[in-house]
Amino acid sequence: MLILGIESSCDDAAAAVLETIAPGEAVVRSSVVATQETIHKRYGGVVPELASRCHVRTILPVIEEALETAGCRLQDINAIAATRGPGLVGSLLVGLMCAKGLAQTLGRPLVGVNHIEGHLLAPLLEHRVTMPYLALVVSGGHTALFLVEEFGRYRRLGGTRDDAAGEAFDKVAKLMGLGYPGGKVIDEMARRGDRGKFKLPRARVRGARFDLSFSGIKTAVALALRQAAGVNGADHDMAASFQEAVVDMLLRPTLAAAQEHDVETIALTGGVAANSRLRERLSSEARNAGFAVVAPSLKYCTDNAAMIALAASHRLLRAERDSLDLDAEAALAL
Ligand code: KG4
Ligand code: ZN
């Protein structure tokens, strides 16, 4: 069975063809992503209106490329999957409407997918993971810990009360004049910095062990930067100190949740999963504590449509599908 996945929840337009070869087994035949980074860069963040307009122009070429790379025609596709939320509603609508049009014209089932479910299952595109497993979803829009109990059963254990971790990286990069998005630049600068140079707070949420808060750290960074103005190497040291604080804040609840829920594996996913220090420390600290760690390759950590098609394949196995009046939901809960 061939599933065409479509993802357009934020500023990436993506399409993928997934082939299911046995129940629960699938291979990615193609996965194409068109990013809009250059469009939003000059505004320092994603401009929703520009994002949806750009999706209108790119979604069909992206789908065509995904079909071509997979070596199949539209008529060969057996089901159409699209992200229906959460995300920017104008962006979501472009992918979802396109999926509906294709499903109706081809007479194929339509499956609407929750974007977060896609991220939670992304590690399974390349790895076999025993359930239940703990997933840390950490991106520009989301930061949360989920227990993946089985396909379709996900328990949110905690998450950020304010900014997402990627958002904190982007805001701090902006403060430091490093441009947008800033996570990758901070990661690179941090390699040459002193992690212990600036004493930054590690926020905790009282009474909620698995919750996080990143809104205070950018103020702390701003104050420390002001005091260190003109000091040689301060930027690299700040990048390293800030990154270390974020990694500390992410690791503490992750390891505690893994222990409490007695999982074998911790899965790391979302754009911030690209962070080299987070990967390094999670791998060593989780392994020391007896857990296996899996992280998808970078192309499946960031937004992509293969993860959406994979989530749809499991919904189809359960005979779940959606009607053509399915709507996009900006704040869709899992
Ligand atoms: O998953 P993603 O592509 O988009 C969504 O937010 O859904 O994640 C993008 C986020 C941005 O905030 C970006 O700064 C961050 O991931 N990011 C990183 C790194 N690469 C990307 N953050 C820290 N270290 C990185 N190497
Ligand atoms: Zn995402």
Side-chain angles (χ1 to χ4, degrees), residues 23-24 27 39 81 93-94 105 108 116 140 145 156 177 179 210-211 249 268 273 279:
V27 287
I39 295 175
L93 280 170
V94 178
T105 334
R108 303 288 194 271
I116 303 299
L145 278 165
R156 191 179 189 278
F210 307 140
D211 277 353
M249 283 191 275
L268 179 64
R279 283 182 172 240

Side-chain angles (χ1 to χ4, degrees), residues 22-314:
E25 255 184 80
V27 287
V28 181
R29 294 259 298 251
S30 65
S31 179
V32 178
V33 181
T35 73
Q36 302 178 359
E37 219 171 276
T38 46
I39 295 175
H40 302 288
K41 218 178 183 80
R42 73 177 116 143
Y43 302 101
V46 176
V47 182
E49 181 63 22
L50 292 180
S52 47
R53 281 168 189 262
C54 185
H55 284 322
V56 171
R57 291 193 299 275
T58 50
I59 200 78
L60 289 178
V62 164
I63 292 172
E64 277 163 9
E65 193 183 328
L67 291 169
E68 200 180 307
T69 311
C72 62
R73 296 163 310 151
L74 206 44
Q75 292 80 352
D76 302 326
I77 297 293
N78 305 102
I80 317 280
T83 306
R84 63 172 290 237
L88 301 170
V89 77
S91 290
L92 286 165
L93 280 170
V94 178
L96 185 61
M97 294 306 142
C98 186
K100 284 189 193 182
L102 290 173
Q104 185 167 34
T105 334
L106 297 169
R108 303 288 194 271
L110 170 76
V111 184
V113 173
N114 185 304
H115 181 80
I116 303 299
E117 181 178 19
H119 276 305
L120 294 180
L121 300 183
L124 306 180
L125 287 166
E126 299 165 304
H127 305 270
R128 280 181 190 277
V129 188
T130 314
M131 291 185 189
Y133 62 86
L134 182 77
L136 171 63
V137 186
V138 64
S139 74
H142 312 277
T143 297
L145 278 165
F146 282 90
L147 190 64
V148 178
E149 295 176 318
E150 57 183 67
F151 292 110
R153 249 182 60 202
Y154 313 105
R155 186 142 50 111
R156 191 179 189 278
L157 303 176
T160 185
R161 293 283 183 99
D162 37 58
D163 292 353
E167 202 177 345
F169 269 98
D170 294 338
K171 286 179 176 171
V172 165
K174 198 171 179 179
L175 272 178
M176 295 172 67
L178 302 174
Y180 170 88
K184 195 164 173 237
V185 193
I186 291 189
D187 191 354
E188 278 156 15
M189 284 182 73
R191 286 167 218 247
R192 279 173 289 137
D194 174 358
R195 295 176 200 126
K197 187 77 181 179
F198 293 98
K199 306 282 172 258
L200 298 172
R202 273 68 169 157
R204 287 178 179 221
V205 179
R206 191 172 300 152
R209 286 196 306 135
F210 307 140
D211 277 353
L212 297 139
S213 167
F214 293 103
S215 64
I217 196 160
K218 59 179 186 294
T219 315
V221 169
L223 288 173
L225 277 175
R226 211 173 300 154
Q227 279 158 10
V231 177
N232 226 358
D235 278 358
H236 289 90
D237 294 341
M238 180 53 80
S241 304
F242 160 75
Q243 180 173 273
E244 202 65 7
V246 173
V247 172
D248 275 344
M249 283 191 275
L250 288 170
L251 288 193
R252 188 188 42 78
T254 303
L255 294 172
Q259 249 134 18
E260 182 165 315
H261 292 278
D262 203 21
V263 295
E264 276 178 26
T265 306
I266 301 173
L268 179 64
T269 173
V272 181
N275 186 266
S276 58
R277 185 69 180 150
L278 178 60
R279 283 182 172 240
E280 176 186 299
R281 282 195 50 203
L282 181 63
S283 300
S284 71
E285 289 173 39
R287 284 191 183 124
N288 285 342
F291 304 109
V293 174
V294 296
S297 30
L298 294 189
K299 62 180 180 201
Y300 299 136
C301 277
T302 49
D303 289 349
N304 67 88
M307 66 184 193
I308 301 303
L310 181 68
S313 73
H314 290 283

